[in-house]
Amino acid sequence: MSIVDLTSMGEAQAQLRTEINERLARLQDEISDYCFQCAKCTSGCEAHKLLELEPHKIVALLKRGLIDEMVNSDVIWTCMSCFKCRERCPQKVAPVEILFALKNMAVASGKQIPGKYTAMLQSILSIGLLQDVQSVTTHDNKMVKRDDLGLPAVSKPMDAAKFQMVLSKLAIEKV
Amino acid sequence: MSNKLGVFVCHCGINISSTVDVDQLVKYASNLDGVVVSKDYKYMCSDIGANLIKDSIKKYKLDGVVIACCSPRMHEHTFRGVVETGGVNAFNLEIANIREQCSWAHDDKERATEKAEALVRGAVAKARLLEPLEAAKIKVTPEALVIGGGIAGIQASLDLADGGHKVYLVEKTPSIGGRMAQLDKTFPTLDCSSCILTPKMMEVANHPDIELLSYSEVVGVEGSVGNYKIRIKKKPRYVDVEKCTGCGDCVEACRLKDRITSEFNMGMGKRSAIYIPFPQAIPLKCTVDPDHCLMLTRGKCGTGPLCVEACEADAIDFKQKEEEVEIDVGAIVVTTGYDVLDPSSLYEYGYARSNDVITTLEMERLISSSGPTGGEILCPSSGEKPKSITFILCVGSRDETECNWCCRIGCMSALKQVYLLKEKLGNDVEINVCYTDIRSFGKGYEEFYRKIRGMKTNFFRGRPSEVRNAKDHLSIDIFDTTTNKLFEITTDLVVLVPALVPRADADEFARVLHVSQSGDGFFLEAHPKLRPMDTFTGGIFIAGCCQGPKDIQDTVSMASGAASRAATILSKNELEAEPQVACVDEDACSACGVCISVCTYNAIELVKEDDGKSHAKVDEALCKGCGACVGACPSGAMQQRGFKDKQILPMVEETI
Amino acid sequence: MKKYALYPGCVMSTEQYAYEMSVRESLPLLGVELIDLQGFSCCGEPLKSVNQLLTLYLSARNLAIAEKQKLDVFAPCAMCHLALSECKWVLGKNADMKKRMNEMLATEDLKYEGTSKLVHTVDLLHDHIGIEEIKKHVTKPLKGVKLATHYGCHIIRPSEIGRPVDSEHPMKMERILEALGAETAEYPEKLDCCGALLQINLDESALTKSGQKLKAVQEHGFDGLVDVCPWCHKMFDARQTKAGETVAAKLDLPVFYLTQLLGLAFGIDKKKLGLELNLSPVDNIKLGGK
């Protein structure tokens, strides 16, 4: 017995679906199964008008087990984490968290990560922060440094080696 | 005491026999002390099973019966009848639950059979010690109480009264009629609601066997089935109803005319401090609002109350006081109705932010010709006719964060309003309906839905995320799953279809009635399929929306059903009391009174005998056999018939 | 003086200095002592898309650092506050995850118990310090100024894990601004997102989101916009011109951190509050301070 999606000729990836649902159950209470496609999430989605993200469709595809289609897509990276979908869903489903799971899956599968994520990750590994201390421009076009403003030195991990060790191990583990 | 027991083991199809070895159990039972015969059958609750038991009683001259089967909650009552017919006292019967507590709870056949043997062993030990019991008779008060004067209460009252029973109908507000009086038309027939309601209201008013206590509240319910003592608080109208003609001159004259929010108009309009809730009110008498009337809140009204001046019948009486009356009834039908969810809790839909976001009940008052706008559809903020109206269904319904149930009438009442609005505003008015599902389940409902689809209504399948205030209109983004497109709706008036919820005082009132509530707060029926109008409290029945949301036809059906259920009690002169009640060994009782302090049914009192000694005494009609007093009694003088210590302790020992 | 460990996060420490300056200047006047701890790292929230385990660990370690000093945590950045809140919530519910985290934290000589409480600027001011106390220190009320509030997304949602402000009708900033003498008003776009996270991979869309919001606020006639998060502020203030270009609007809206306005109302010098670092036209409004 089989169910085949005729547009992609894909069948349900039950194992991946279970993996995602179990991860969601560990992190919060929402279960995607209860979605009844009212699309309240998409109606209010901050990324929908500009970038065509359809959170309710993400949930529907997850329910059908059509995971690869989403993991390989660009649209999952358009979510801006506003959490409106999770807040307003009448069935306590959280499309935003499903998207995080799909993005994590894309990274773990070796797919190329878009934008500056890689650079941010590397910066954190080396100095513990997203970026190094910047010089900024004032109103009247002067350049100032953090020190010039009388602010104390920035807090960073003290034992860089231990920090990097834990992070390197973690970076390849799954939730 | 029995020493000739019969043990009957049921297979329950394969429910029991697939896990418990019935043959082994039968053989085991036949070897127990006191057991003279042990048999089995596939369905002991069937006619053949019953005959097997009756024939065995006769053949083996049994004086006690043990049945190993399903939970006593299922068939104990039936089997008692069988045993009694067979010639053994109904209470020389013990049931061993080897289904719910054995075969349905376990997989291991060997150990389940062992457990079943233990359960039967215990049951037999108890059965040996059971005593025959006779049910006491309770005289029934042949009158009924109906609480709540909406259509459910009206229907139940008429059915009971037409059946020859006297009915007290108590209604909390100044008039009967309930929610139906607030509606303009009803779906799917588009009958004028008042037109079909008022004849029934008139019937109630004129019925010789219905005593209407309006503007009154039930504050105390004591007693048990067949014998309830009800305390009713009659609130003062400050108007002598004998003199008041309902002419309404006082309403016109009132100093606070059009200043007080009208509850009947769901806050869409105003009234005076002295008022008649709606034109067809029954009784058609005025009532003074004690929370706003200047005479009652401040002790003076200008240079003198204008209502008194205007009243030609001299009917106004500010000296009236609250009265409490007590009545005796045999059965109670509860028909207290529902409230509508306040959509302010879904702030995103703008109910609290904009006057142009209203509920369906508020829209119903706008549509109604007796409403605050005389039936004209006007936007509350501008007073102008709307060019576009948008309905949002399921506001707070089917929502795990608000009410997880379906309100059942939301779809149909929205469709009905679409029809009425198109009729009033003409075909040019744009009407949008945002729905999650359209539930048009009843007779004629689907046809009605088809009609509305044919009226150029814009249906959008989806729930909007929010309603935004824009400069001179409201704006709604909705993703329509039928076209997979996001639409921006610009609209003048938004109608929210809110969840139906229990009355605000349902929790408190349930306690007054000694009635349970289901998880959603509505009153709990004894069984959703087979006993929907009964409660777990004998003699108290529920009907209409106080049990759960439903439309008018289901409400009326249920009300007639509840009346019929109540009538089965009222038409009897006597009822049989459950004999497994508490009883006192008067010699052992030291009159410490602990039992009285734990009895929630006030069924125990201390009595003094002629020799000066006091002891506890149980009123068997009030006793519910809960056993709390038995557990509390320090001396063991309090026992429960059918569950005495000397019967249970051997059962425990034998089972283990 | 109530002590809090100041958890600054990356953006405030490395770029949005005005927020840090105004926080350090104004809060001590209200009885708050800010302790600077060593060893902090990024909270990990921007990396949630890469590996949520990393985010949980980074947040757990920062909380553990504060716990070690028996201090509650004040996180002025809304995104950091969300990361730390979610970490507390998940580790509070899931004993296995907590154990897993602690096993890794042990490598850094840290342990997470969940004893440190967490506040953000808005609830620190409104709930813990209180409006009455704030009013006492106002010497130069912000008169005749109508301000729009921008709460952003992360201090209002998801309410399930507990947020400092209500998710649908947040009013705490309005109460604070009114205590400072300013006028506030509701507007339909109040809860709209600034889009800052999209700077990572879809920068033009981020600018569009911010541009649209700024345009709406300006069209409603507000004198200025107030925010409480360095991600939002960077979009609305530093990148206002670019945002305007992206949505083809001429944007000219003063944008302030709440704590900058707090400081101004308390009579603190403009320079100390980092006002020269605001790139939006803050001088359009005449506000107190030297």
Side-chain angles (χ1 to χ4, degrees):
Chain A
M1 297 288 104
S2 71
I3 302 173
V4 180
D5 162 27
L6 291 178
T7 39
S8 68
M9 296 316 283
E11 284 193 36
Q13 296 165 287
Q15 210 163 330
L16 289 181
R17 176 176 55 202
T18 310
E19 192 185 309
I20 294 182
N21 279 330
E22 281 177 359
R23 169 202 159 118
L24 291 170
R26 271 200 297 279
L27 294 173
Q28 66 262 341
D29 295 327
E30 292 86 5
I31 305 175
S32 56
D33 291 349
Y34 296 130
C35 172
F36 54 26
Q37 295 288 294
C38 72
K40 188 169 179 181
C41 49
T42 303
S43 292
C45 175
E46 295 274 3
H48 178 73
K49 280 183 183 169
L50 267 184
L51 299 160
E52 295 173 5
L53 176 63
E54 292 176 25
H56 76 289
K57 191 160 170 201
I58 302 285
V59 180
L61 287 169
L62 172 65
K63 281 172 77 165
R64 293 258 182 253
L66 299 169
I67 315 289
D68 274 349
E69 187 179 315
M70 294 191 284
V71 166
N72 295 329
S73 73
D74 292 331
V75 80
I76 60 174
W77 295 95
T78 59
C79 171
M80 56 186 92
S81 313
C82 76
F83 291 93
K84 249 194 198 169
C85 53
R86 180 170 169 179
E87 186 67 25
R88 294 195 176 152
C89 176
Q91 291 295 310
K92 297 199 177 147
V93 182
V96 60
E97 306 296 340
I98 296 172
L99 284 160
F100 280 124
L102 292 167
K103 285 182 272 186
N104 283 190
M105 220 174 225
V107 171
S109 71
K111 208 182 150 334
Q112 193 186 33
I113 324 175
K116 303 198 195 113
Y117 282 111
T118 318
M120 286 176 1
L121 186 56
Q122 278 167 352
S123 178
I124 290 182
L125 273 169
S126 65
I127 60 169
L129 302 172
L130 288 174
Q131 61 181 9
D132 213 338
V133 174
Q134 311 280 307
S135 292
V136 293
T137 330
T138 66
H139 212 71
D140 34 358
N141 267 310
K142 291 206 285 281
M143 288 298 280
V144 277
K145 296 206 289 288
R146 187 184 159 93
D147 301 333
D148 300 332
L149 299 164
L151 290 169
V154 172
S155 180
K156 288 184 188 176
M158 291 188 287
D159 189 334
K162 282 197 183 146
F163 178 74
Q164 280 160 6
M165 191 166 75
V166 182
L167 252 58
S168 310
K169 239 180 37 161
L170 258 181
I172 52 171
E173 265 182 53
K174 280 191 189 171
V175 171
Chain B
M1 303 289 282
S2 304
N3 45 25
K4 292 175 91 183
L5 292 169
V7 176
F8 302 90
V9 181
C10 183
H11 293 233
C12 193
I14 56 162
N15 277 311
I16 291 176
S17 57
S18 61
T19 314
V20 170
D21 185 339
V22 175
D23 290 330
Q24 189 180 318
L25 187 58
V26 168
K27 215 153 106 192
Y28 177 82
S30 65
N31 288 325
L32 293 168
D33 266 354
V35 176
V36 306
V37 62
S38 175
K39 288 186 187 290
D40 67 292
Y41 183 61
K42 240 188 163 143
Y43 302 103
M44 205 56 79
C45 55
S46 65
D47 251 359
I48 299 180
N51 286 333
L52 177 66
I53 296 172
K54 286 187 279 192
D55 291 342
S56 302
I57 292 174
K58 226 170 37 181
K59 185 165 173 200
Y60 297 92
K61 297 195 179 27
L62 302 176
D63 55 13
V65 170
V66 171
I67 306 181
C69 58
C70 55
S71 163
R73 285 178 75 92
M74 302 297 295
H75 293 305
E76 181 176 61
H77 186 76
T78 318
F79 285 137
R80 285 217 183 123
V82 168
V83 155
E84 186 90 32
T85 320
V88 169
N89 182 283
F91 296 90
N92 278 97
L93 164 70
E94 185 65 21
I95 294 193
N97 182 352
I98 59 168
R99 191 182 77 171
E100 280 84 343
Q101 295 194 355
C102 189
S103 70
W104 272 2
H106 305 297
D107 295 317
D108 184 331
K109 235 188 152 167
E110 206 180 298
R111 298 182 70 194
T113 309
E114 232 178 88
K115 178 171 171 181
E117 287 174 358
L119 290 170
V120 167
R121 194 167 58 232
V124 166
K126 184 168 175 227
R128 287 198 288 259
L129 300 162
L130 285 174
E131 295 152 338
L133 300 173
E134 291 305 325
K137 302 268 189 271
I138 311 171
K139 252 189 104 41
V140 173
T141 310
E143 282 147 23
L145 168 67
V146 176
I147 311 177
I151 184 61
I154 290 169
Q155 185 64 45
S157 303
L158 289 172
D159 284 336
L160 281 165
D162 285 345
H165 305 287
K166 158 91 191 260
V167 178
Y168 295 95
L169 175 57
V170 177
E171 164 57 41
K172 187 158 140 173
T173 67
S175 166
I176 55 173
R179 294 282 178 208
M180 220 180 137
Q182 291 177 294
L183 303 178
D184 179 55
K185 301 228 174 17
T186 58
F187 58 77
T189 50
L190 296 173
D191 279 305
C192 155
S193 187
S194 295
C195 306
I196 55 176
L197 175 65
T198 38
K200 286 204 189 247
M201 286 167 65
M202 294 293 305
E203 250 190 276
V204 164
N206 296 326
H207 204 296
D209 285 328
I210 300 179
E211 188 175 323
L212 172 60
L213 291 108
S214 60
Y215 207 49
S216 303
E217 286 179 40
V218 170
V219 292
V221 173
E222 299 306 326
S224 62
V225 57
N227 290 288
Y228 280 108
K229 269 200 168 14
I230 313 289
R231 279 183 301 120
I232 298 171
K233 178 173 81 173
K234 291 171 83 165
K235 300 184 283 195
R237 287 180 195 259
Y238 304 102
V239 168
D240 184 343
V241 298
E242 303 294 318
K243 296 185 183 161
C244 175
T245 60
C247 70
D249 286 347
C250 54
V251 175
E252 285 304 306
C254 178
R255 219 176 278 278
L256 297 179
K257 181 167 136 91
D258 292 337
R259 301 257 290 271
I260 300 165
T261 308
S262 160
E263 303 86 349
F264 186 78
N265 280 322
M266 300 305 293
M268 302 295 281
K270 305 258 187 222
R271 58 166 170 78
S272 305
I274 186 167
Y275 66 104
I276 298 176
F278 55 98
Q280 305 96 332
I282 290 196
L284 189 65
K285 308 284 176 194
C286 297
T287 306
V288 178
D289 173 0
D291 297 325
H292 291 101
C293 166
L294 297 171
M295 276 303 287
L296 295 171
T297 54
R298 294 189 203 172
K300 68 187 221 108
C301 172
T303 51
L306 295 171
C307 52
V308 172
E309 241 182 79
C311 180
E312 287 184 11
D314 192 28
I316 298 176
D317 175 11
F318 286 108
K319 293 203 190 57
Q320 254 184 29
K321 295 249 173 299
E322 189 181 285
E323 237 189 280
E324 198 175 283
V325 297
E326 206 178 83
I327 57 170
D328 293 323
V329 298
I332 304 173
V333 178
V334 183
T335 48
T336 47
Y338 67 91
D339 268 336
V340 148
L341 177 73
D342 179 354
S344 304
S345 56
L346 287 104
Y347 190 82
E348 63 266 30
Y349 284 145
Y351 184 74
R353 271 186 277 123
S354 167
N355 288 330
D356 291 338
V357 177
I358 61 179
T359 63
T360 37
L361 209 42
E362 287 162 2
M363 172 56 101
E364 196 77 25
R365 296 312 306 145
L366 288 183
I367 293 175
S368 175
S369 50
S370 69
T373 56
E376 274 213 71
I377 309 303
L378 304 169
C379 292
S381 63
S382 62
E384 284 172 18
K385 280 205 181 46
K387 295 203 192 61
S388 161
I389 305 175
T390 305
F391 284 81
I392 301 180
L393 273 54
C394 293
V395 174
S397 294
R398 301 178 65 191
D399 187 332
E400 291 292 310
T401 65
E402 294 282 343
C403 304
N404 63 5
W405 57 92
C406 166
C407 77
R408 217 171 145 114
I409 56 152
C411 293
M412 288 310 294
S413 53
L415 293 177
K416 172 198 76 178
Q417 289 189 344
V418 169
Y419 180 91
L420 297 172
L421 290 167
K422 285 261 180 193
E423 201 180 47
K424 280 190 189 267
L425 295 167
N427 249 315
D428 288 340
V429 68
E430 177 192 275
I431 303 195
N432 309 306
V433 175
C434 302
Y435 69 96
T436 307
D437 287 294
I438 294 287
R439 294 183 164 180
S440 48
F441 55 89
K443 188 166 178 172
Y445 290 12
E446 191 59 39
E447 190 186 320
F448 192 80
Y449 175 29
R450 185 180 150 94
K451 177 149 74 185
I452 308 306
R453 292 201 302 277
M455 287 171 75
K456 300 202 179 13
T457 317
N458 298 327
F459 281 96
F460 295 91
R461 199 224 157 244
R463 266 187 219 198
S465 188
E466 50 195 53
V467 173
R468 288 208 176 182
N469 295 45
K471 206 159 74 162
D472 51 1
H473 56 265
L474 297 161
S475 172
I476 301 174
D477 283 347
I478 174 146
F479 189 87
D480 171 34
T481 62
T482 61
T483 53
N484 265 354
K485 289 175 188 280
L486 184 74
F487 290 92
E488 181 183 327
I489 299 176
T490 307
T491 194
D492 299 317
L493 192 55
V494 172
V495 185
L496 304 177
V497 183
L500 294 198
V501 297
R503 291 268 187 197
D505 61 356
D507 289 355
E508 208 187 296
F509 200 53
R511 279 196 285 274
V512 169
L513 291 172
H514 306 300
V515 143
S516 311
Q517 295 164 279
S518 39
D520 50 22
F522 290 102
F523 296 144
L524 181 62
E525 67 285 338
H527 189 278
K529 294 279 191 201
L530 299 180
R531 295 178 66 200
M533 294 132 208
D534 289 22
T535 61
F536 285 116
T537 313
I540 303 187
F541 305 95
I542 49 180
C545 292
C546 67
Q547 180 262 350
K550 55 181 68 67
D551 54 23
I552 294 167
Q553 62 215 65
D554 285 346
T555 295
V556 171
S557 309
M558 201 175 177
S560 290
S564 160
R565 295 292 300 139
T568 58
I569 294 169
L570 301 172
S571 50
K572 294 198 175 81
N573 280 327
E574 305 182 314
L575 289 174
E576 274 186 6
E578 177 71 41
Q580 288 174 324
V581 291
C583 60
V584 185
D585 177 351
E586 297 173 7
D587 293 325
C589 175
S590 62
C592 69
V594 173
C595 53
I596 299 176
S597 63
V598 301
C599 177
T600 39
Y601 303 100
N602 295 322
I604 312 177
E605 56 172 4
L606 279 179
V607 294
K608 210 174 191 165
E609 295 293 355
D610 293 332
D611 60 0
K613 213 176 148 234
S614 293
H615 62 84
K617 187 165 150 66
V618 177
D619 179 340
E620 299 196 0
L622 291 177
C623 175
K624 298 254 186 277
C626 72
C629 55
V630 178
C633 177
S635 65
M638 187 69 80
Q639 291 291 312
Q640 183 161 354
R641 296 206 189 101
F643 295 94
K644 295 188 176 173
D645 289 351
K646 66 181 188 196
Q647 293 160 338
I648 297 198
L649 293 173
M651 179 185 194
V652 171
E653 272 183 49
E654 286 283 329
T655 309
I656 307 172
Chain C
M1 290 288 257
K2 163 79 182 174
K3 290 193 175 124
Y4 287 95
L6 173 66
Y7 176 73
C10 304
V11 181
M12 195 172 89
S13 315
T14 61
E15 218 186 286
Q16 288 291 311
Y17 303 126
Y19 197 8
E20 193 173 337
M21 291 165 76
S22 54
V23 158
R24 287 187 190 275
E25 284 294 322
S26 56
L27 289 179
L29 292 178
L30 294 167
V32 173
E33 189 184 331
L34 299 171
I35 313 287
D36 292 306
L37 298 179
Q38 292 308 305
F40 281 144
S41 65
C42 175
C43 69
E45 187 71 10
L47 289 185
K48 195 171 164 185
S49 298
V50 172
N51 186 335
Q52 194 170 350
L53 208 59
L54 215 51
T55 310
L56 280 168
Y57 179 76
L58 288 169
S59 287
R61 69 179 297 286
N62 290 311
L63 286 166
I65 289 171
E67 249 179 57
K68 212 172 191 175
Q69 307 302 322
K70 296 203 182 13
L71 288 169
D72 287 336
V73 178
F74 165 43
C77 168
M79 201 177 294
C80 296
H81 189 276
L82 176 61
L84 299 173
S85 298
E86 189 166 27
C87 178
K88 276 170 80 78
W89 189 69
V90 171
L91 299 191
K93 276 174 9 99
N94 190 329
D96 283 334
M97 190 61 86
K98 185 176 171 186
K99 193 158 153 259
R100 202 172 160 192
M101 285 293 133
N102 274 322
E103 276 163 17
M104 292 184 273
L105 284 167
T107 318
E108 292 197 79
D109 290 315
L110 291 169
K111 186 165 195 273
Y112 173 84
E113 272 307 315
T115 49
S116 289
K117 294 206 198 45
L118 179 60
V119 294
H120 174 265
T121 317
V122 179
D123 59 331
L124 175 58
L125 288 170
H126 184 279
D127 300 341
H128 299 278
I129 294 168
I131 297 294
E132 289 315 307
E133 185 61 33
I134 293 173
K135 277 192 183 152
K136 283 191 201 149
H137 298 266
V138 175
T139 57
K140 291 187 153 53
L142 311 172
K143 281 214 223 30
V145 175
K146 192 169 116 171
L147 298 167
T149 59
H150 172 82
Y151 286 84
C153 303
H154 293 166
I155 52 165
I156 67 176
R157 294 184 290 258
S159 56
E160 186 186 3
I161 68 171
R163 304 314 293 125
V165 202
D166 184 68
S167 61
E168 298 291 354
H169 190 43
M171 291 299 282
K172 291 184 183 174
M173 272 173 75
E174 277 80 353
R175 298 287 96 85
I176 295 167
L177 289 168
E178 281 156 18
L180 302 179
E183 204 188 304
T184 62
E186 296 295 286
Y187 61 104
E189 300 81 3
K190 179 170 157 182
L191 301 184
D192 285 359
C193 178
C194 71
L197 262 173
L198 291 180
Q199 288 176 102
I200 298 172
N201 60 325
L202 288 161
D203 196 45
E204 197 175 315
S205 300
L207 289 165
T208 310
K209 292 295 288 185
S210 288
Q212 283 169 347
K213 180 146 190 180
L214 287 164
K215 183 164 180 248
V217 171
Q218 196 166 284
E219 277 169 8
H220 288 304
F222 285 101
D223 297 315
L225 179 65
V226 189
D227 52 43
V228 284
C229 168
W231 291 82
C232 302
H233 187 88
K234 177 176 173 172
M235 294 303 297
F236 293 139
D237 176 79
R239 307 195 74 196
Q240 185 174 123
T241 316
K242 265 214 110 115
E245 284 163 16
T246 316
V247 298
K250 206 159 179 298
L251 295 173
D252 194 40
L253 189 69
V255 179
F256 301 90
Y257 278 110
L258 178 65
T259 40
Q260 288 181 309
L261 292 175
L262 198 72
L264 285 172
F266 290 176
I268 301 176
D269 182 60
K270 271 188 191 172
K271 201 150 181 221
K272 289 197 178 147
L273 298 169
L275 270 148
E276 63 178 6
L277 300 172
N278 292 47
L279 298 183
S280 59
V282 289
D283 289 330
N284 281 2
I285 322 182
K286 295 276 170 281
L287 291 170
K290 294 188 280 278

